[in-house]
mmCIF file of all heavy atoms in Angstrom:
data_model
loop_
_atom_site.group_PDB
_atom_site.id
_atom_site.type_symbol
_atom_site.label_atom_id
_atom_site.label_comp_id
_atom_site.label_asym_id
_atom_site.label_seq_id
_atom_site.Cartn_x
_atom_site.Cartn_y
_atom_site.Cartn_z
ATOM 1 N N GLU A 33 -39.084 -31.156 46.115
ATOM 2 C CA GLU A 33 -38.002 -31.831 46.840
ATOM 3 C C GLU A 33 -38.215 -33.345 46.836
ATOM 4 O O GLU A 33 -37.276 -34.119 46.634
ATOM 5 C CB GLU A 33 -37.944 -31.290 48.267
ATOM 6 C CG GLU A 33 -36.768 -31.830 49.070
ATOM 7 C CD GLU A 33 -36.714 -31.231 50.483
ATOM 8 O OE1 GLU A 33 -37.406 -30.237 50.740
ATOM 9 O OE2 GLU A 33 -35.963 -31.785 51.305
ATOM 10 N N ALA A 106 -30.473 -37.757 11.516
ATOM 11 C CA ALA A 106 -30.316 -36.298 11.596
ATOM 12 C C ALA A 106 -29.296 -35.813 10.563
ATOM 13 O O ALA A 106 -29.489 -34.781 9.910
ATOM 14 C CB ALA A 106 -29.882 -35.903 13.002
ATOM 15 N N ALA A 153 5.262 -27.020 -12.444
ATOM 16 C CA ALA A 153 6.405 -27.742 -13.005
ATOM 17 C C ALA A 153 7.661 -27.391 -12.213
ATOM 18 O O ALA A 153 7.868 -26.242 -11.817
ATOM 19 C CB ALA A 153 6.583 -27.369 -14.473
ATOM 20 N N LEU A 167 31.766 -23.726 -3.222
ATOM 21 C CA LEU A 167 31.182 -23.631 -1.891
ATOM 22 C C LEU A 167 31.213 -24.968 -1.165
ATOM 23 O O LEU A 167 30.924 -25.040 0.019
ATOM 24 C CB LEU A 167 29.746 -23.103 -1.985
ATOM 25 C CG LEU A 167 29.645 -21.675 -2.524
ATOM 26 C CD1 LEU A 167 28.190 -21.285 -2.712
ATOM 27 C CD2 LEU A 167 30.355 -20.682 -1.627
ATOM 28 N N LYS A 176 41.189 -32.832 5.415
ATOM 29 C CA LYS A 176 41.355 -31.425 5.066
ATOM 30 C C LYS A 176 40.735 -31.156 3.708
ATOM 31 O O LYS A 176 40.531 -32.067 2.910
ATOM 32 C CB LYS A 176 42.830 -31.050 5.054
ATOM 33 C CG LYS A 176 43.496 -31.146 6.427
ATOM 34 C CD LYS A 176 44.950 -30.724 6.347
ATOM 35 C CE LYS A 176 45.616 -30.806 7.724
ATOM 36 N NZ LYS A 176 47.044 -30.399 7.647
ATOM 37 N N THR A 270 48.617 -11.218 -16.950
ATOM 38 C CA THR A 270 47.452 -11.645 -17.737
ATOM 39 C C THR A 270 46.783 -10.463 -18.421
ATOM 40 O O THR A 270 46.115 -10.614 -19.440
ATOM 41 C CB THR A 270 46.412 -12.338 -16.848
ATOM 42 O OG1 THR A 270 45.937 -11.399 -15.876
ATOM 43 C CG2 THR A 270 47.010 -13.545 -16.138
ATOM 44 N N ILE A 273 40.761 -8.686 -18.112
ATOM 45 C CA ILE A 273 39.994 -9.774 -18.725
ATOM 46 C C ILE A 273 38.631 -9.245 -19.147
ATOM 47 O O ILE A 273 37.883 -8.691 -18.334
ATOM 48 C CB ILE A 273 39.792 -10.949 -17.744
ATOM 49 C CG1 ILE A 273 41.136 -11.403 -17.152
ATOM 50 C CG2 ILE A 273 39.052 -12.082 -18.421
ATOM 51 C CD1 ILE A 273 42.117 -11.915 -18.175
ATOM 52 N N LYS A 286 44.532 -9.212 -8.635
ATOM 53 C CA LYS A 286 45.463 -8.260 -8.025
ATOM 54 C C LYS A 286 45.049 -6.805 -8.255
ATOM 55 O O LYS A 286 44.190 -6.499 -9.078
ATOM 56 C CB LYS A 286 46.872 -8.506 -8.569
ATOM 57 C CG LYS A 286 47.424 -9.903 -8.286
ATOM 58 C CD LYS A 286 47.605 -10.135 -6.792
ATOM 59 C CE LYS A 286 48.267 -11.481 -6.523
ATOM 60 N NZ LYS A 286 48.490 -11.721 -5.086
ATOM 61 N N MET A 289 43.480 -4.496 -11.444
ATOM 62 C CA MET A 289 43.035 -5.339 -12.555
ATOM 63 C C MET A 289 41.502 -5.301 -12.682
ATOM 64 O O MET A 289 40.785 -5.021 -11.724
ATOM 65 C CB MET A 289 43.512 -6.785 -12.364
ATOM 66 C CG MET A 289 45.027 -6.915 -12.195
ATOM 67 S SD MET A 289 45.976 -6.014 -13.448
ATOM 68 C CE MET A 289 45.455 -6.860 -14.938
ATOM 69 N N THR A 298 34.096 -16.447 -10.843
ATOM 70 C CA THR A 298 34.397 -17.149 -9.601
ATOM 71 C C THR A 298 35.854 -16.905 -9.227
ATOM 72 O O THR A 298 36.753 -17.168 -10.034
ATOM 73 C CB THR A 298 34.146 -18.662 -9.763
ATOM 74 O OG1 THR A 298 32.803 -18.864 -10.198
ATOM 75 C CG2 THR A 298 34.361 -19.385 -8.463
ATOM 76 N N VAL A 376 24.292 -10.838 6.009
ATOM 77 C CA VAL A 376 25.666 -10.850 6.509
ATOM 78 C C VAL A 376 25.753 -11.931 7.585
ATOM 79 O O VAL A 376 25.210 -11.768 8.681
ATOM 80 C CB VAL A 376 26.072 -9.476 7.074
ATOM 81 C CG1 VAL A 376 27.554 -9.492 7.447
ATOM 82 C CG2 VAL A 376 25.797 -8.375 6.063
ATOM 83 N N THR A 410 26.819 4.245 10.586
ATOM 84 C CA THR A 410 26.401 3.233 9.610
ATOM 85 C C THR A 410 25.043 3.653 9.069
ATOM 86 O O THR A 410 24.078 3.764 9.827
ATOM 87 C CB THR A 410 26.297 1.840 10.271
ATOM 88 O OG1 THR A 410 27.538 1.544 10.936
ATOM 89 C CG2 THR A 410 26.008 0.765 9.243
ATOM 90 N N ILE A 414 16.716 1.256 2.750
ATOM 91 C CA ILE A 414 16.035 0.157 2.062
ATOM 92 C C ILE A 414 14.723 0.667 1.466
ATOM 93 O O ILE A 414 14.247 1.750 1.804
ATOM 94 C CB ILE A 414 15.768 -1.057 2.992
ATOM 95 C CG1 ILE A 414 14.849 -0.656 4.157
ATOM 96 C CG2 ILE A 414 17.083 -1.623 3.512
ATOM 97 C CD1 ILE A 414 14.451 -1.843 5.027
ATOM 98 N N LYS A 438 -10.284 14.047 -22.226
ATOM 99 C CA LYS A 438 -10.531 13.686 -23.630
ATOM 100 C C LYS A 438 -11.916 13.065 -23.802
ATOM 101 O O LYS A 438 -12.625 13.350 -24.772
ATOM 102 C CB LYS A 438 -9.463 12.694 -24.100
ATOM 103 C CG LYS A 438 -8.086 13.308 -24.327
ATOM 104 C CD LYS A 438 -8.048 14.082 -25.633
ATOM 105 C CE LYS A 438 -6.653 14.564 -25.950
ATOM 106 N NZ LYS A 438 -6.639 15.410 -27.177
ATOM 107 N N LYS A 489 2.421 -3.242 -5.940
ATOM 108 C CA LYS A 489 3.878 -3.262 -5.747
ATOM 109 C C LYS A 489 4.291 -2.407 -4.558
ATOM 110 O O LYS A 489 5.160 -2.800 -3.771
ATOM 111 C CB LYS A 489 4.582 -2.784 -7.017
ATOM 112 C CG LYS A 489 4.574 -3.786 -8.155
ATOM 113 C CD LYS A 489 5.365 -3.262 -9.348
ATOM 114 C CE LYS A 489 5.430 -4.310 -10.459
ATOM 115 N NZ LYS A 489 6.208 -3.827 -11.623
ATOM 116 N N MET A 505 22.266 -4.181 17.915
ATOM 117 C CA MET A 505 22.379 -2.979 17.098
ATOM 118 C C MET A 505 23.043 -1.919 17.967
ATOM 119 O O MET A 505 22.556 -1.581 19.045
ATOM 120 C CB MET A 505 21.024 -2.486 16.606
ATOM 121 C CG MET A 505 21.138 -1.292 15.664
ATOM 122 S SD MET A 505 19.639 -0.959 14.718
ATOM 123 C CE MET A 505 18.723 0.026 15.907
ATOM 124 N N PRO A 507 25.021 1.974 18.736
ATOM 125 C CA PRO A 507 24.713 3.381 18.447
ATOM 126 C C PRO A 507 25.319 3.817 17.109
ATOM 127 O O PRO A 507 26.225 3.183 16.579
ATOM 128 C CB PRO A 507 25.374 4.136 19.614
ATOM 129 C CG PRO A 507 25.618 3.111 20.669
ATOM 130 C CD PRO A 507 25.814 1.817 19.959
ATOM 131 N N THR A 512 16.872 4.482 6.870
ATOM 132 C CA THR A 512 15.872 5.106 6.007
ATOM 133 C C THR A 512 15.080 4.008 5.325
ATOM 134 O O THR A 512 15.657 3.133 4.676
ATOM 135 C CB THR A 512 16.527 6.006 4.949
ATOM 136 O OG1 THR A 512 17.277 7.029 5.596
ATOM 137 C CG2 THR A 512 15.482 6.640 4.044
ATOM 138 N N GLY A 534 3.679 4.199 7.614
ATOM 139 C CA GLY A 534 4.551 5.259 7.115
ATOM 140 C C GLY A 534 5.653 5.698 8.052
ATOM 141 O O GLY A 534 6.475 6.545 7.697
ATOM 142 N N GLN A 543 11.270 -12.908 24.294
ATOM 143 C CA GLN A 543 12.321 -13.546 25.099
ATOM 144 C C GLN A 543 11.912 -14.963 25.467
ATOM 145 O O GLN A 543 10.775 -15.251 25.719
ATOM 146 C CB GLN A 543 12.561 -12.725 26.377
ATOM 147 C CG GLN A 543 13.079 -11.327 26.079
ATOM 148 C CD GLN A 543 14.430 -11.319 25.395
ATOM 149 O OE1 GLN A 543 15.297 -12.112 25.735
ATOM 150 N NE2 GLN A 543 14.611 -10.462 24.402
#
Side-chain angles (χ1 to χ4, degrees):
E33 185 178 346
L167 296 174
K176 295 181 179 180
T270 63
I273 308 298
K286 300 296 185 178
M289 304 311 297
T298 304
V376 186
T410 307
I414 62 175
K438 287 283 186 184
K489 286 183 176 181
M505 184 164 84
T512 300
Q543 297 297 320

